[in-house]
Amino acid sequence: MAVRDILEYPDPRLHELSCPVDHFDDALARTVDDLIETLHASASIGLCAPQIDVCEQVLVMDHSEDQSAPEAYVNPVITRRRGFGLVEERCLSVPGMSAFVFRATAIAVRAQDLTGATFERTLTGMPAVCLQHEMDHFDGKLVADRMNWFKRRRLRAALHKTEEPA
Ligand code: ZN
């Protein structure tokens, strides 16, 4: 297991489409281990493979208080959506910024585990929102793309400042 670097906006790799997983092998298990370790090190609740430069449809979430319940979703598909709300989201790939996004507040999801076995879950509230956010990454979509013009300009200005020599 290793804590991996998280790609940050405006890295173009974050806009690539992620491929479905078709090999349920040691490489997949390593990706999931690294995702979980990186998620826990960042004290966040969700992380997906494209954020650590693995262009595959794999995500992990852990909504426990003590980082004791990480869950991996491979090739997730949302099969039902219910209730919609405007939610303020943050993203480890867009540090220091947030954006308001319309999300379903309850979803049913079908996915595969590390062995390729299919499972189904019903998620509500924060876990439902988190899963939709992570799945946006598979389509190359970021909360930065949903920010208004003013916020994006502030983000670019902040990035520009950190790139200049001190
Ligand atoms: Zn994100």
Side-chain angles (χ1 to χ4, degrees):
M1 301 236 291
V3 174
R4 303 269 293 262
D5 288 337
I6 296 174
L7 300 185
E8 290 185 1
Y9 179 86
D11 194 309
R13 287 171 289 182
L14 288 166
H15 291 293
E16 285 174 16
L17 299 181
S18 299
C19 298
V21 172
D22 53 8
H23 288 76
F24 294 82
D25 54 10
D26 289 350
L28 174 64
R30 262 199 309 278
T31 297
V32 167
D33 279 349
D34 287 356
L35 277 171
I36 290 169
E37 189 153 332
T38 308
L39 175 74
H40 286 162
S42 67
S44 186
I45 53 173
L47 187 69
C48 61
Q51 288 179 283
I52 60 164
D53 200 20
V54 176
C55 212
E56 293 182 338
Q57 294 178 12
V58 184
L59 67 89
V60 298
M61 302 202 298
D62 190 341
H63 292 272
S64 65
E65 296 269 301
D66 55 356
Q67 303 191 333
S68 61
E71 278 197 309
Y73 292 75
V74 180
N75 301 332
V77 177
I78 294 173
T79 55
R80 273 202 321 278
R81 297 167 197 265
R82 206 159 38 75
F84 284 87
L86 196 56
V87 186
E88 187 175 19
E89 294 183 7
R90 287 165 208 288
C91 178
L92 290 170
S93 294
V94 192
M97 299 297 280
S98 63
F100 284 93
V101 185
F102 268 107
R103 297 291 190 195
T105 51
I107 58 172
V109 57
R110 188 174 58 232
Q112 285 166 285
D113 66 15
L114 283 177
T115 68
T118 300
F119 66 90
E120 304 205 36
R121 285 261 191 301
T122 305
L123 301 174
T124 56
M126 217 42 228
V129 168
C130 181
L131 187 119
Q132 292 168 81
H133 173 107
E134 300 308 331
M135 284 184 66
D136 273 359
H137 280 287
F138 299 154
D139 294 329
K141 283 193 229 153
L142 294 179
V143 289
D145 305 320
R146 298 175 183 269
M147 285 174 190
N148 62 31
W149 173 85
F150 179 69
K151 266 196 169 180
R152 262 208 301 273
R153 201 178 66 155
R154 259 176 47 204
L155 177 60
R156 289 221 187 87
L159 289 169
H160 191 63
K161 215 178 285 165
T162 57
E163 276 161 17
E164 268 173 4

